[in-house]
Amino acid sequence: MREVRVLGVPMDLGAGRRGVDMGPSALRLAQLETTLESLGFRVTDMGNTEVPVPESFAQGPGGTGNPLYADVIAAACRAAAQALASRPPGSLAVSLGGDHSVSMGTVPGSAAGRPIGLLWIDAHADLNTPETSPSGNVHGMPVAHLLGLGDERFTSLWEGQPHLAPEDLVYIGLRSVDPPEARAIADLGITAYTMTDLDKRGVAAVAVEALDHLAHRDRLHVSFDADVLDPTVAPGVGTPVPGGLTYREAHLLMELLAESGKVGSLDLVEVNPILDVANRTAATLVELTASLFGKRILGKRA
């Protein structure tokens, strides 16, 4: 019986809207643990990392070159990385955000010193640096920092390990990209599939090609932002963008990634219960997690 370790990172400091700090609770309420257990996994909930609320400390104005709440976000991400790196060898990891800045900790923590491929499934590229960010909100910067670009407080979260290489990253589902991010994707040679690519070619073809691109890595981390889904499917997100993945497209993507047998860790981020309808967004992400971890129409994948 394989073990899944679940870690909550209840942080909304990186986002422009409050509320995603309640995402871990919403996902747990949507029966994440029971769902995974029904697939034959032994689930251990590690609880939440400690993240202070912004009202409890002083913070100057953010802006270009000055990420908002940088020190506190870095500390929370470091705690998440250390918690995940200490999990038993061979166990799977599911990290519950929080805004997408939590991935600056969960990706290196899940890697635990070994090379890893990253599938960033998101409407947004999250590739701004503090110098290019129009808002100073850190949830628009995690990929840059995972690649070793930007603020040393975040790039140091790898704790001496090599940063993620551009060839170890694939975007799926992009549809809202800032001009500096688009230039960075081109300059770094990052493989990126927009919703236009998915519309033209279909989810199956894109998934197969993405996995082929990451075939040089034997472990994959999936970082899944709820706003990659169309807002009609996932209303409870802070930065909705029309034209996202349908319910069935998202399940097919998860099923195809599961068939690779390489997915060892997962982020579920940007669920905002304040904006949701009857916890529908969290419930949908739990259902997608089941598909990623082997659930099929005719039973669990062998």
Side-chain angles (χ1 to χ4, degrees):
M1 181 182 290
R2 294 197 70 182
E3 182 176 7
V4 177
R5 291 291 177 112
V6 176
L7 179 69
V9 191
M11 181 162 65
D12 65 1
L13 299 173
R17 302 178 76 169
R18 304 292 300 276
V20 291
D21 58 325
M22 294 183 283
S25 293
L27 290 158
R28 289 179 172 115
L29 182 64
Q31 302 299 310
L32 175 66
E33 181 172 344
T34 301
T35 298
L36 291 173
E37 288 175 342
S38 73
L39 296 173
F41 294 100
R42 182 174 66 252
V43 181
T44 300
D45 196 318
M46 303 167 67
N48 290 342
T49 58
E50 185 174 347
V51 184
V53 295
E55 290 81 3
S56 67
F57 59 90
Q59 165 64 38
T64 302
N66 183 26
L68 286 162
Y69 307 118
D71 289 331
V72 180
I73 292 172
C77 288
R78 191 174 302 280
Q82 292 171 346
L84 291 169
S86 68
R87 74 189 190 278
S91 60
L92 305 173
V94 178
S95 301
L96 313 178
D99 65 73
H100 219 157
S101 63
V102 307
S103 296
M104 296 186 298
T106 62
V107 174
S110 296
R114 294 172 51 198
I116 196 168
L118 176 61
L119 289 147
W120 198 267
I121 304 175
D122 196 335
H124 306 91
D126 296 343
L127 190 52
N128 276 301
T129 64
E131 289 68 35
T132 66
S133 171
S135 66
N137 292 326
V138 179
H139 75 159
M141 310 179 196
V143 175
H145 290 112
L146 290 172
L147 292 168
L149 309 172
D151 194 302
E152 191 273 338
R153 288 169 288 187
F154 303 128
T155 59
S156 66
L157 292 168
W158 287 93
E159 297 190 330
Q161 304 170 34
H163 292 97
L164 190 76
E167 60 267 25
D168 293 336
L169 168 66
V170 174
Y171 284 111
I172 296 179
L174 295 178
R175 60 190 189 279
S176 179
V177 180
D178 294 333
E181 295 176 307
R183 288 193 293 271
I185 289 171
D187 292 345
L188 294 170
I190 297 170
T191 298
Y193 298 98
T194 68
M195 284 304 303
T196 300
D197 296 315
L198 290 160
D199 289 341
K200 286 182 176 180
R201 302 177 55 196
V203 169
V206 166
V208 169
E209 193 170 293
L211 289 168
D212 183 64
H213 180 79
L214 295 175
H216 62 289
R217 294 301 182 206
D218 61 5
R219 291 190 309 150
L220 301 178
H221 181 101
V222 174
S223 197
F224 192 97
D225 189 318
D227 68 27
V228 76
L229 300 167
D230 192 82
T232 59
V233 178
V237 300
T239 50
V241 184
L245 292 174
T246 67
Y247 181 83
R248 188 55 229 158
E249 286 174 331
H251 272 287
L252 176 59
L253 176 59
M254 295 296 100
E255 290 164 0
L256 294 170
L257 297 181
E259 288 177 3
S260 73
K262 292 184 175 183
V263 176
S265 47
L266 168 68
D267 301 329
L268 300 172
V269 301
E270 299 284 358
V271 174
N272 192 328
I274 294 174
L275 305 174
D276 207 4
V277 178
N279 211 32
R280 190 199 323 168
T281 301
T284 297
L285 262 62
V286 168
E287 292 166 3
L288 293 172
T289 300
S291 289
L292 183 64
F293 280 58
K295 184 177 181 179
R296 294 294 179 271
I297 294 170
L298 295 180
K300 186 179 183 296
R301 177 175 60 90

